[in-house]
Amino acid sequence: MSDEQELGITESKQYNTGEWYAEVVQKAGLANYGPEGMSGFIVTRPRGYALWESIQNYLDGEFKKTGVQNAYFPLFIPESYLEREKDIVEGFDPEVAWVTHGGHEELEERLAVRPTSESIIAPYMAQWVRSHRDLPLRVNQWASVVRWEATETKPFFRTKEFLWQEGHTAHETRDGAWDETMTRLSQYQSLYEDVLAIPVLRGAKPEHDKFPGADTTTTVEALMPDGKSVQAGTSHYLGTSFAEAFDLTYTTEDEDEEPAHTTSWGLSWRSLGALIMTHSDDQGLVLPPTIAPEQVVIVPIWQADTQEKVLDYAKDIAEDLEDAGVRVELDARDERNPGFKFNEWELKGVPVRFEIGPNEVDDDVVTAVHRPDGDSVELDRENIAEAVQAQFDEVYAKLYAAAEENLEENVREASERNEILGTIGQHGGYVKAPWCGDEACEDEIKEQIAAEIVMVPLNDEDAEIHDGENCAVCGDDAEETAYFAKSY
Amino acid sequence: MSDEQELGITESKQYNTGEWYAEVVQKAGLANYGPEGMSGFIVTRPRGYALWESIQNYLDGEFKKTGVQNAYFPLFIPESYLEREKDIVEGFDPEVAWVTHGGHEELEERLAVRPTSESIIAPYMAQWVRSHRDLPLRVNQWASVVRWEATETKPFFRTKEFLWQEGHTAHETRDGAWDETMTRLSQYQSLYEDVLAIPVLRGAKPEHDKFPGADTTTTVEALMPDGKSVQAGTSHYLGTSFAEAFDLTYTTEDEDEEPAHTTSWGLSWRSLGALIMTHSDDQGLVLPPTIAPEQVVIVPIWQADTQEKVLDYAKDIAEDLEDAGVRVELDARDERNPGFKFNEWELKGVPVRFEIGPNEVDDDVVTAVHRPDGDSVELDRENIAEAVQAQFDEVYAKLYAAAEENLEENVREASERNEILGTIGQHGGYVKAPWCGDEACEDEIKEQIAAEIVMVPLNDEDAEIHDGENCAVCGDDAEETAYFAKSY
């Protein structure tokens, strides 16, 4: 870290969320904005990329345990391929970056920088699948995609290029493909709830907001502290539309030729945005121990006459933790005082700080301080590696509980238009309301307060209740329960 | 695997190397050619990608142990950035793919799809580095790059888009940067020699064949069975040219401002090409156990009355191996006979096959068969997991020895032009010859037999010998020892 770096976060999360977020991302060393002429692009610095690697490792492990293999498809898609599935071309054409020249030659056909890869993966799956014995077929790729949206850059949340994984599968039956869709949605939910300490809601996107060409788009939605919802991962049951467009068929046991049922599912570095936004505070980044690059930082506190004994003790503890697989950093810099170090590691989001001075050495203990609440506890030197795991669990539980409380307090009900508008206007969060299913009713809300229907419950247990209920906006018969919210 | 797939390799490695290679790549399920209109691109199938993941895991681990952090930089580079380092723009401009449109809008400035990332990484390193305390700075990214070359596609060896890693570092001194350059070259060498069972030669590229803008380009070169050399990984000491072009400077302890010394180093999926080409044979893929997705395949051989006992025994062994961390596949398919299975797993390159019939069950043994030479050995059922490791070592040693023999037999010396031409023409391989250092002498050889100087030894221990020696081509005083070879 350079001398010139200013450590303090100056913006307020509560009053100035957007600027605060941008400041945390930059000062914690997660990302920089792209170069001049490339607004919408970011540079992901090592501390930011390490978080993405943790997410990758977790999901990749879950995918592989459940039959998914990684592959890699070309970065470019010929325009004619993109055009073969009409919903895809309508949905993505306005935001495609086009390669028109290779070297000094103009290309005969423009190539799309992939905005998503169904249009190039499906035709290859079609080559690989002959019979029902080749199904299910499951491939995933970790890659970047480009969507040329002209909105303001928000690192990880909204960028023209983003890192993600996209899984693509083919199945014999609708049921097989639907189970797959749900399996992946559940894995996304686990990532959020078990790794990132963020509870999510599961649902489906309304018809008019589905992935282009999909039969059903399912989503996990996370509520941010500013009251807006993040579409945190989506899993699509594509029906047979892509299979039909790209001749992805198989022969059944009876030698009939049938189109496969396909799925696709993607999770991007937006998950990083949700992580940063949910837990961090006006001192900087806050990370759950599950994902923090350093889980413990040891800050030794010495005077000239105690330096040696304090440092020896601290090193010994660092070694113990390392041997136990704990990610630990011993900050033994001589040129910085403990207060400076506290601030720096708080900014960087280390979940547990060990403070070790002469007293700790004499008493054979360490003082462990939690991020973000500053709670401190004295731990015995003996079995320190075990004891610290309990601290990690505690920190994780606190972060999760805070996020859960925010979510639970912010799902409200409404039965008429003004109630929707008023509740979201005042509190943010989700408003559940009976809905007729018509996009026009969403538009009315959108125009007034820029809130939209972010999901409808997946298993509509409220189905019966809708008997006799009316759409909160237009008053026609209600068909579904809509979750209105402002959205990232 | 579908019924229709033809298992056999029909081309000959010895007589028709190019066609044989293409057939192995496709029939072993490693890669397909890209879509129409996108010649030069390939689709990397799961079995091919798994090999790349193994290479990634190994190198990424080595990098991280030696101070490298991963990061991610934008896919595109503004044309004006590319132009800031003049050698880069001269070297890469003819093969850049250009993005000219985003959505329906023409861009104000064209964006290069990265052919290599020095021009976008250096300016960010310049932002991150202030003082000598920020150095060394080491970042790496795993990414794809695009170079629009108009040559024939050869999967993994020559493709317009390829996967690689590119490491970029900045240092205070020339010595620091040079040590870095050598560290990375040694890690590449280890990948080949300790993981891929391919011995390599280390050297430097001649002046006129350096990476654009580099002070020195070092290389590991691998000799393929067809007598051609593969540039298998390169590590560049860039001097201060990139630092000067992008203002990457630091303040010394004495508060002076100095340009940093930088390096970059890259290894691509060409390493996969070398792996496939080196060991495979006319039965298909051959893989060392270090990298094989399945290290052992168990093929049970039964009649109706022995099926249960053979299968139980086989399952039990598979579990033992799995518990010991061995990558094992039990091929219990009922609809395929053992002969078919042998062929299929040979094609796919599984290094050790366990054949288990009723006799093996009765005798409490397994028959282990090595790929590629078919050597078989009887192993005791007890301690099978340990015993199989010894088989892996043996298979690895055999593969390495064969590659090493090929290399050792094919480094020859020559002292005049016709000897160079004749020796390479007749045998392929490397020809060492004294050289004056002038590109024109290489051109003469290149024009006649398409061989070039692939490297000069790094520590020219032959330096003294050159006293009184003459360039094998022009007869002027010799300055270096050149390794001539045909090259991929």
Side-chain angles (χ1 to χ4, degrees):
Chain A
M1 174 152 303
S2 69
D3 289 316
E4 289 76 4
Q5 174 151 1
E6 292 167 22
L7 280 183
I9 300 292
T10 58
E11 301 284 353
S12 151
K13 181 176 189 180
Q14 186 175 357
Y15 298 110
N16 221 350
T17 312
E19 287 76 2
W20 163 85
Y21 175 82
E23 202 185 3
V24 169
V25 163
Q26 288 173 92
K27 287 199 172 166
L30 305 178
N32 290 155
Y33 288 92
E36 218 179 314
M38 279 180 63
S39 76
F41 289 79
I42 61 170
V43 168
T44 308
R45 299 183 65 174
R47 297 191 73 80
Y49 198 80
L51 298 176
W52 180 240
E53 285 183 310
S54 293
I55 289 173
Q56 284 189 303
N57 286 340
Y58 175 79
L59 276 184
D60 203 65
E62 296 300 301
F63 292 161
K64 284 177 176 158
K65 274 190 251 169
T66 48
V68 181
Q69 296 181 296
N70 286 331
Y72 186 74
F73 292 81
L75 172 62
F76 304 140
I77 304 176
E79 187 164 19
S80 56
Y81 274 61
L82 210 61
E83 283 169 346
R84 280 172 67 181
E85 213 296 327
K86 71 172 178 17
D87 291 320
I88 278 281
V89 73
E90 272 175 31
F92 287 105
D93 184 64
E95 30 184 84
V96 164
W98 293 104
V99 173
T100 57
H101 291 72
H104 301 309
E105 304 274 306
E106 185 163 356
L107 304 182
E108 279 180 34
E109 180 180 5
R110 297 198 299 178
L111 302 175
V113 181
R114 63 177 162 234
T116 181
S117 299
E118 282 78 5
S119 304
I120 193 150
I121 292 182
Y124 281 91
M125 290 179 104
Q127 291 182 36
W128 302 336
V129 171
R130 292 279 174 272
S131 100
H132 61 96
R133 275 189 290 275
D134 301 321
L135 298 175
L137 175 62
R138 301 180 176 101
V139 296
N140 176 63
Q141 73 179 358
W142 293 95
S144 82
V145 289
V146 172
R147 298 180 186 172
W148 211 268
E149 295 178 279
T151 51
E152 212 191 332
T153 313
K154 198 175 185 75
F156 305 122
F157 279 117
R158 206 161 277 282
T159 49
K160 288 201 178 93
E161 180 191 13
F162 56 86
L163 294 180
W164 78 343
Q165 60 67 219
E166 48 177 322
H168 299 265
T169 71
H171 307 260
E172 285 184 68
T173 62
R174 184 192 192 290
D175 281 358
W178 181 254
D179 287 351
E180 179 79 19
T181 308
M182 289 295 101
T183 297
R184 304 311 158 195
L185 194 69
S186 294
Q187 289 175 335
Y188 293 158
Q189 181 173 11
S190 290
L191 169 72
Y192 282 96
E193 299 191 342
D194 304 333
V195 182
L196 305 182
I198 303 176
V200 292
L201 297 177
R202 293 158 64 109
K205 289 286 166 190
E207 279 296 303
H208 57 269
D209 197 24
K210 291 184 312 189
F211 179 79
D215 178 277
T216 309
T217 286
T218 68
T219 179
V220 287
E221 298 279 327
L223 185 63
M224 296 294 100
D226 62 355
K228 291 188 193 167
S229 184
V230 171
Q231 179 182 306
T234 50
S235 183
H236 317 291
Y237 167 56
L238 301 174
T240 56
S241 63
F242 283 87
E244 280 157 14
F246 293 99
D247 301 320
L248 171 44
T249 62
Y250 69 97
T251 53
T252 65
E253 266 186 272
D254 303 331
E255 299 291 326
D256 294 327
E257 181 119 344
E258 296 283 351
H261 293 256
T262 68
T263 80
S264 68
W265 25 279
L267 183 135
S268 78
W269 68 18
R270 177 177 281 201
S271 51
L272 274 188
L275 173 74
I276 299 160
M277 182 69 91
T278 299
H279 305 300
S280 303
D281 61 21
D282 291 353
Q283 275 64 57
L285 193 63
V286 174
L287 295 172
T290 37
I291 200 171
E294 304 91 358
Q295 298 172 298
V296 177
V297 60
I298 302 179
V299 178
I301 303 166
W302 64 61
Q303 305 294 336
D305 59 334
T306 55
Q307 176 163 3
E308 196 183 332
K309 87 170 181 184
V310 167
L311 212 47
D312 285 350
Y313 184 79
K315 277 182 189 162
D316 209 44
I317 289 175
E319 266 173 35
D320 269 18
L321 293 183
E322 231 167 64
D323 289 347
V326 174
R327 299 187 293 274
V328 58
E329 174 83 23
L330 169 60
D331 186 351
R333 285 177 296 175
D334 212 355
E335 74 273 18
R336 294 298 188 196
N337 63 44
F340 182 95
K341 294 178 183 177
F342 292 176
N343 288 337
E344 182 173 328
W345 294 108
E346 280 183 4
L347 171 67
K348 289 181 171 175
V350 181
V352 174
R353 177 174 77 230
F354 279 5
E355 298 176 5
I356 294 178
N359 291 342
E360 276 83 1
V361 180
D362 294 340
D363 298 349
D364 242 1
V365 296
V366 304
T367 300
V369 183
H370 293 181
R371 177 99 174 93
D373 59 10
D375 279 2
S376 77
V377 57
E378 205 175 82
L379 303 179
D380 282 343
R381 168 70 184 87
E382 221 189 328
N383 298 325
I384 188 73
E386 236 167 86
V388 81
Q389 294 295 345
Q391 300 303 309
F392 293 161
D393 292 345
E394 228 177 271
V395 168
Y396 191 92
K398 282 196 264 193
L399 295 177
Y400 191 88
E404 195 175 33
E405 194 185 329
N406 179 50
L407 175 58
E408 282 173 358
E409 281 176 359
N410 287 291
V411 181
R412 298 180 181 85
E413 297 191 15
S415 55
E416 40 175 284
R417 179 199 328 220
N418 284 342
E419 214 182 336
I420 299 174
L421 297 174
T423 304
I424 294 181
Q426 194 185 343
H427 303 289
Y430 301 106
V431 172
K432 286 167 68 171
W435 175 47
C436 62
D438 192 343
E439 186 176 0
C441 291
E442 185 193 27
D443 285 344
E444 275 196 41
I445 303 295
K446 208 182 264 180
E447 276 159 26
Q448 295 204 44
I449 55 165
E452 60 194 282
I453 298 173
V454 294
M455 57 170 250
V456 298
L458 256 178
N459 299 311
D460 198 347
E461 287 162 5
D462 303 335
E464 271 173 276
I465 303 169
H466 299 314
D467 284 354
E469 269 198 335
N470 299 319
C471 174
V473 182
C474 70
D476 284 353
D477 287 349
E479 301 282 346
E480 302 182 271
T481 303
Y483 279 64
F484 287 89
K486 296 190 181 184
S487 176
Y488 268 87
Chain B
M1 174 153 300
S2 69
D3 290 315
E4 289 77 4
Q5 174 150 2
E6 292 166 24
L7 281 182
I9 299 292
T10 58
E11 301 284 354
S12 152
K13 181 176 188 178
Q14 186 175 358
Y15 299 109
N16 221 349
T17 312
E19 287 76 2
W20 163 86
Y21 176 82
E23 202 184 3
V24 170
V25 164
Q26 288 173 91
K27 289 199 171 166
L30 304 178
N32 289 154
Y33 289 92
E36 219 180 311
M38 279 180 64
S39 75
F41 289 80
I42 61 170
V43 168
T44 309
R45 299 184 64 174
R47 296 191 73 81
Y49 198 79
L51 298 176
W52 179 240
E53 284 183 311
S54 293
I55 290 173
Q56 283 190 304
N57 286 339
Y58 175 79
L59 276 185
D60 202 65
E62 295 300 302
F63 292 162
K64 283 178 177 157
K65 274 189 251 167
T66 46
V68 180
Q69 296 180 297
N70 286 331
Y72 187 72
F73 292 82
L75 172 61
F76 303 140
I77 305 176
E79 187 164 18
S80 57
Y81 274 61
L82 211 60
E83 285 170 344
R84 280 172 66 181
E85 212 296 327
K86 72 173 177 17
D87 291 320
I88 278 280
V89 74
E90 273 175 31
F92 287 105
D93 185 65
E95 31 183 82
V96 164
W98 293 104
V99 173
T100 56
H101 290 74
H104 301 309
E105 306 272 305
E106 186 164 353
L107 304 182
E108 280 180 32
E109 180 180 5
R110 298 197 300 177
L111 302 177
V113 180
R114 63 176 162 234
T116 181
S117 299
E118 282 77 5
S119 303
I120 193 151
I121 292 183
Y124 280 91
M125 290 179 104
Q127 290 181 36
W128 302 337
V129 170
R130 294 276 174 274
S131 99
H132 62 95
R133 275 189 290 272
D134 302 321
L135 297 176
L137 176 63
R138 301 181 177 100
V139 296
N140 176 62
Q141 73 177 359
W142 292 95
S144 82
V145 289
V146 172
R147 297 179 187 173
W148 211 268
E149 295 178 280
T151 52
E152 212 190 332
T153 312
K154 198 175 187 77
F156 306 123
F157 280 117
R158 205 162 278 281
T159 50
K160 287 201 179 92
E161 180 190 13
F162 57 86
L163 294 179
W164 77 343
Q165 60 69 219
E166 48 177 322
H168 299 264
T169 71
H171 307 261
E172 285 183 69
T173 62
R174 184 193 192 290
D175 281 357
W178 182 254
D179 285 350
E180 179 79 19
T181 308
M182 288 295 102
T183 297
R184 304 310 159 195
L185 194 69
S186 295
Q187 289 175 336
Y188 293 158
Q189 180 172 11
S190 290
L191 170 73
Y192 282 96
E193 300 191 341
D194 304 333
V195 181
L196 305 181
I198 304 175
V200 292
L201 297 178
R202 294 158 63 110
K205 289 286 166 190
E207 278 297 300
H208 57 270
D209 197 24
K210 291 184 311 189
F211 179 81
D215 177 278
T216 309
T217 286
T218 69
T219 179
V220 286
E221 298 279 326
L223 184 65
M224 296 295 100
D226 63 354
K228 290 188 193 167
S229 184
V230 171
Q231 178 180 306
T234 49
S235 183
H236 317 291
Y237 166 57
L238 301 174
T240 56
S241 63
F242 283 86
E244 279 158 14
F246 294 98
D247 300 320
L248 170 44
T249 60
Y250 69 97
T251 52
T252 65
E253 266 186 273
D254 303 333
E255 299 292 324
D256 293 327
E257 181 118 346
E258 296 283 351
H261 293 255
T262 68
T263 80
S264 67
W265 24 280
L267 182 135
S268 79
W269 69 17
R270 176 177 280 202
S271 50
L272 275 188
L275 172 74
I276 299 160
M277 183 70 91
T278 298
H279 305 299
S280 303
D281 61 23
D282 291 353
Q283 275 65 56
L285 192 63
V286 173
L287 296 172
T290 37
I291 200 171
E294 304 91 359
Q295 297 171 299
V296 177
V297 60
I298 302 179
V299 178
I301 302 165
W302 63 62
Q303 305 294 336
D305 59 333
T306 54
Q307 175 164 4
E308 196 184 330
K309 89 170 181 184
V310 167
L311 210 48
D312 284 350
Y313 184 79
K315 276 182 191 163
D316 209 46
I317 288 175
E319 264 172 39
D320 268 21
L321 294 183
E322 230 166 65
D323 290 347
V326 175
R327 298 187 293 275
V328 58
E329 174 83 22
L330 169 60
D331 186 352
R333 285 177 297 175
D334 212 354
E335 74 273 17
R336 295 296 188 197
N337 63 44
F340 182 96
K341 293 178 183 177
F342 292 177
N343 288 337
E344 183 174 326
W345 293 109
E346 278 184 6
L347 172 67
K348 289 181 172 174
V350 180
V352 175
R353 177 173 76 229
F354 279 4
E355 299 177 4
I356 295 179
N359 292 341
E360 276 83 2
V361 180
D362 293 341
D363 299 347
D364 241 4
V365 295
V366 303
T367 301
V369 183
H370 294 180
R371 176 100 175 91
D373 59 10
D375 279 1
S376 78
V377 58
E378 202 174 85
L379 302 179
D380 283 340
R381 167 70 184 85
E382 221 189 325
N383 298 326
I384 188 73
E386 234 166 87
V388 81
Q389 295 294 346
Q391 300 303 309
F392 294 160
D393 292 346
E394 227 176 89
V395 169
Y396 192 93
K398 282 195 263 191
L399 295 177
Y400 191 88
E404 195 175 32
E405 195 184 328
N406 180 49
L407 175 59
E408 283 173 357
E409 282 177 358
N410 287 291
V411 181
R412 299 181 180 83
E413 296 189 17
S415 55
E416 39 176 285
R417 179 199 328 222
N418 285 342
E419 214 181 338
I420 299 174
L421 297 174
T423 304
I424 294 182
Q426 191 184 345
H427 303 289
Y430 301 105
V431 171
K432 287 167 68 170
W435 174 48
C436 64
D438 192 341
E439 186 176 359
C441 290
E442 183 192 29
D443 286 344
E444 275 196 41
I445 302 295
K446 208 183 265 180
E447 275 158 28
Q448 297 205 43
I449 55 164
E452 59 195 282
I453 297 173
V454 296
M455 56 169 251
V456 298
L458 257 177
N459 299 310
D460 200 345
E461 289 163 2
D462 304 334
E464 271 173 279
I465 303 170
H466 299 314
D467 284 354
E469 270 199 335
N470 299 319
C471 174
V473 182
C474 71
D476 283 355
D477 287 349
E479 301 281 345
E480 301 182 272
T481 303
Y483 279 65
F484 287 88
K486 294 188 183 187
S487 176
Y488 269 87

